[in-house]
Amino acid sequence: MRFYNPNNRNNRKGKDKSINKWDQLMAHTGRGKQHPSNNQNETNSANVAVVAGNWIEAVGSIVTAIASTPSQIFTEQTLTDFNVIGNILEAGGSAIAAEGEEGLLNIAGEQLQAIGNIAVVAGILSNNEQSGELLQQQGDLLQVVGMGMTIQTSGNLTLLETIANTGNIIQLIGSVIQIFANTDTEEGTVMNAIGAWIEAIGAIITALASE
């Protein structure tokens, strides 16, 4: 009978090989389970941010559209409050969506839209009428530029991406109409309201296509 001697060189070598194989197996198994899970969690978080941000932006666009529509039900101050709330919601939605977006242009576009909405809010709340109007105009322009940056020009789009892209284009058209609308005239006020509702419809389409 051959007794096992733990101090024997051959026995130590066999034991080391077994430990090394076990360590390699565990390390390989750990990597295989950990990384896909982390990537999936990050992807899910990004998707949630985009969906939530788009829907918040859509709600804000609807509130802003209501504020832009001449009404005998709401007072002028109420409509102004709606305009502030709507733009704040749009800014928050764009900022949240930017956290989940991929690509520098998409992220920068969402951030510019958020900055534009904040500028509009600052213009509404400004005590100086001239500077307030200037801030609102600059805010609208920033939103248009931001929306233009989020429009995909690639032809390799899925159905949902195409629908979302169409929604972004509709939003852009609505924003451009609002920029050229002169709210000092009755026709301009109606034109501004139409542009606001077109933008809201586009935001809803984009939100519905979010995944």
Side-chain angles (χ1 to χ4, degrees), residues 115-132:
I115 294 171
N117 286 117
I118 293 173
V120 171
V121 171
I124 294 171
L125 299 178
S126 176
N127 294 325
N128 189 307
E129 185 177 352
Q130 290 183 348
S131 62

Side-chain angles (χ1 to χ4, degrees), residues 55-92:
W55 275 112
I56 293 173
E57 188 176 350
V59 172
S61 297
I62 294 171
V63 175
T64 304
I66 294 173
S68 301
T69 305
S71 173
Q72 296 179 350
I73 300 175
F74 302 110
T75 64
E76 185 176 347
Q77 182 58 47
T78 301
L79 292 177
T80 300
D81 293 339
F82 280 173
N83 203 5
V84 171
I85 294 170
N87 276 281
I88 290 175
L89 286 173
E90 286 186 55

